[in-house]
């Protein structure tokens, strides 16, 4: 997306009411219904909406402003550094070209001497010169090998082995040019790696998920302010409050590495199940008699019904656990299904129960 301030035509210090007014004016002007003959009206209308969505939110606006200032500052610094680097490389190329040409001249003199005195001696090749100057490892690079061929051509031209039309006239500077190209290839290979570009600050979002979503590892869709939909799949080890980091899905600004999108998972609060770590919690209502005497009961779990045994004399402070029935923890294990008991009374008062409780409270036993 282009600069949102430019899209809306407002200054960077514009107040919220100014931004809102500019958006309304722009949106009314470019609305597709008012521009039926313009095929680009819908795209421009959407762009204005995206710009307003970004600038109307103070947090997103501040985040964008910080990232933009960082990008401008970095770009200004890069321009100066690029100028210095270009000057330094030019000086190094000139110096190395001179050194290489001197080595070529010495090698040519040695080769001529060897040719005149030792018929079986082997002249030094351009590859040998490269290895002697820059080391044996340089020969393993394809670019260096191509440059070595150029050096060989330069050596041939220096010895007069090339055709007269090629080795004379305006091509007298060819060996120096070839030597400079050779050095450029070597510099690219041995130069220290450049630091990674500065990264745009991450943006955040939230996704509401149910316990069933986590158990079934469903795909989740998150809608962003710039009208993008980002999808990701739930995985073992994710639970309520887990932050999913999606690389390269954040803001995009010139000359900066794209930021990430950090999505916080929030368990649905209206779900019959709740999460505490990787344990799934639910409640089971039982009668007073079942709590005192114990019983077998059915409990609803995220994966269906389970029959459990409630021990005698189980109060509301008791919790029953079904081991391994919770969420996968991402390490090969799983949490538990925790069933919290809740004692409830009958909907209508029971005279016998009321009578019994009165006698127990007052110390009268039947």
């Amino acid at each position: 997306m282009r600069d949102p301030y430019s899209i809306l035509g407002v200054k960077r210090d514009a107040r919220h009411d100014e931004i809102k007014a500019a958006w309304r004016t722009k949106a009314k002007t470019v609305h597709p219904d008012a521009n039926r003959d313009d095929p680009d009206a819908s795209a421009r209308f959407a762009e204005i909406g995206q710009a307003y969505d970004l600038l109307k939110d103070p947090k997103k606006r501040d985040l964008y402003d910080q990232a933009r200032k960082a990008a401008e500052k970095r770009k200004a610094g890069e321009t100066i550094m690029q100028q210095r680097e270009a000057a330094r490389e030019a000086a190094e190329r000139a110096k190395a070209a001179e050194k290489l040409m001197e080595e070529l001249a010495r090698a040519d003199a040695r080769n001529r001497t060897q040719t005149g005195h030792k018929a079986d001696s082997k002249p030094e090749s351009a590859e040998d010169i490269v290895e002697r100057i820059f080391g044996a490892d340089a020969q393993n690079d394809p670019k260096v090998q191509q440059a070595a061929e150029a050096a060989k051509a330069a050596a041939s031209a220096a010895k007069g082995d090339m055709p007269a039309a090629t080795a004379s006239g305006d091509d007298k500077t060819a060996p120096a040019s070839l030597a400079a190209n050779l050095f450029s290839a070597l510099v690219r290979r041995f130069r220290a790696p450049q630091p990674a570009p500065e990264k745009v600050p991450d943006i955040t979002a939230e996704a509401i998920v149910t316990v069933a979503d986590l158990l079934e590892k469903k795909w989740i869709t998150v809608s962003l302010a710039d009208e993008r939909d980002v999808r990701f799949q739930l995985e073992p080890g994710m639970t309520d409050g887990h932050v999913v980091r999606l690389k390269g899905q954040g803001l995009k600004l010139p000359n900066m590495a794209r930021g990430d999108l950090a999505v916080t998972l929030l368990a649905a609060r209206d779900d019959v199940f709740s999460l505490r770590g990787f344990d799934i919690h639910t409640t089971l209502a039982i009668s007073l008699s079942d709590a005192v005497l114990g019983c077998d009961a059915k409990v609803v779990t995220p994966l269906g019904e389970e029959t459990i045994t409630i021990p005698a004399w189980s109060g509301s402070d008791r919790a029953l656990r079904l081991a391994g029935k919770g969420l996968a923890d991402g390490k090969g294990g799983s949490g538990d299904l925790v069933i919290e008991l809740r004692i409830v009374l009958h909907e209508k008062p029971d005279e016998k129960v009321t009578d019994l409780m009165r006698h127990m409270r007052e110390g009268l036993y039947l």
Side-chain angles (χ1 to χ4, degrees):
M1 184 178 69
R2 297 186 296 117
D3 179 35
Y5 293 100
S6 300
I7 294 174
L8 296 180
V10 297
K11 296 181 179 180
R12 300 197 182 279
D13 59 351
R15 300 188 305 274
H16 175 72
D17 55 347
E18 295 175 336
I19 293 174
K20 188 174 183 179
W23 167 69
R24 286 181 173 176
T25 301
K26 290 275 187 180
K28 184 177 180 180
T29 302
V30 302
H31 197 283
D33 292 344
N35 299 269
R36 297 183 182 277
D37 297 333
D38 185 358
D40 299 328
S42 296
R44 289 189 288 122
F45 182 76
E47 186 180 46
I48 291 172
Q50 293 175 11
Y52 178 62
D53 285 339
L54 178 61
L55 297 183
K56 73 178 182 180
D57 188 323
K59 292 183 179 179
K60 293 178 182 178
R61 181 181 179 182
D62 184 61
L63 190 65
Y64 173 81
D65 289 341
Q66 291 179 15
R68 178 185 54 79
K69 291 177 182 178
E72 292 176 351
K73 184 177 180 180
R74 182 174 178 274
K75 186 176 181 180
E78 282 183 348
T79 301
I80 297 175
M81 293 301 296
Q82 287 172 354
Q83 293 174 351
R84 292 177 179 175
E85 182 71 10
R88 184 183 66 81
E89 287 187 2
E92 288 181 350
R93 281 198 299 269
K95 183 177 180 181
E98 181 181 355
K99 178 180 178 181
L100 185 57
M101 293 309 298
E102 290 176 356
E103 290 292 339
L104 289 173
R106 293 193 188 98
D108 180 58
R110 285 195 296 271
N111 291 340
R112 291 178 182 275
T113 302
Q114 292 173 355
T115 302
H117 294 84
K118 297 181 181 180
D120 58 345
S121 61
K122 183 180 179 181
E124 185 179 30
S125 65
E127 287 83 356
D128 296 333
I129 298 172
V130 172
E131 180 175 342
R132 176 161 49 79
I133 299 174
F134 300 103
D137 291 340
Q139 294 293 345
N140 298 326
D141 192 290
K143 293 182 179 179
V144 177
Q145 293 174 4
Q146 295 175 3
E149 292 297 327
K152 184 186 295 184
S156 298
K159 291 188 293 183
D161 294 341
M162 298 182 65
T166 304
S168 60
D170 294 337
D171 279 350
K172 292 181 180 180
T173 59
S177 176
L178 293 171
N181 291 337
L182 170 60
F183 177 74
S184 296
L186 291 171
V187 166
R188 285 193 298 270
R189 182 181 188 278
F190 293 111
R191 182 183 297 157
Q194 296 297 320
E198 186 176 354
K199 182 181 174 183
V200 176
D202 298 339
I203 59 176
T204 60
E206 295 178 346
I208 306 297
V209 296
T210 65
V211 173
D213 292 337
L214 291 164
L215 287 171
E216 298 172 13
K217 302 177 182 62
K218 289 186 176 180
W219 283 84
I220 303 299
T221 300
V222 178
S223 297
L224 304 180
D226 58 1
E227 298 188 353
R228 282 189 300 133
D229 286 339
V230 178
R231 299 183 74 241
F232 63 93
Q233 187 175 19
L234 299 176
E235 299 176 354
M238 295 182 179
T239 185
D240 184 28
H242 182 87
V243 178
V244 181
R245 184 167 296 277
L246 303 176
K247 299 291 185 180
Q249 295 292 335
L251 292 176
K252 185 178 182 181
L253 292 176
N255 302 317
M256 296 185 71
R258 191 164 187 169
D260 299 337
L261 170 63
V263 182
T264 302
L265 301 182
L266 299 178
R269 301 308 175 194
D270 57 348
D271 199 356
V272 295
F273 305 101
S274 61
L275 292 171
R276 298 178 191 173
F278 299 104
D279 290 339
I280 302 173
H281 285 247
T282 188
T283 60
L284 176 63
I286 60 175
S287 66
L288 178 59
S289 57
D290 288 339
V292 174
L293 302 176
C295 67
D296 289 337
K298 291 185 178 296
V299 60
V300 177
T301 76
L303 301 178
E305 284 190 347
E306 291 272 355
T307 300
I308 62 171
T309 299
I310 300 175
W313 212 255
S314 295
S316 292
D317 59 344
R318 187 162 191 171
L320 306 179
R321 285 181 175 267
L322 297 182
K325 298 291 185 178
L327 296 179
D329 61 8
K331 301 178 181 179
S334 296
D336 300 336
L337 176 64
V338 182
I339 304 163
E340 301 172 1
L341 301 179
R342 296 290 183 267
I343 299 176
V344 295
L345 301 177
H346 297 296
E347 292 183 6
K348 296 181 179 179
D350 188 311
E351 293 182 3
K352 292 182 179 180
V353 175
T354 304
D355 229 12
L356 176 60
M357 294 300 105
R358 182 180 296 113
H359 285 295
M360 290 182 64
R361 186 177 61 181
E362 296 175 0
L364 302 174
Y365 297 93
L366 299 177

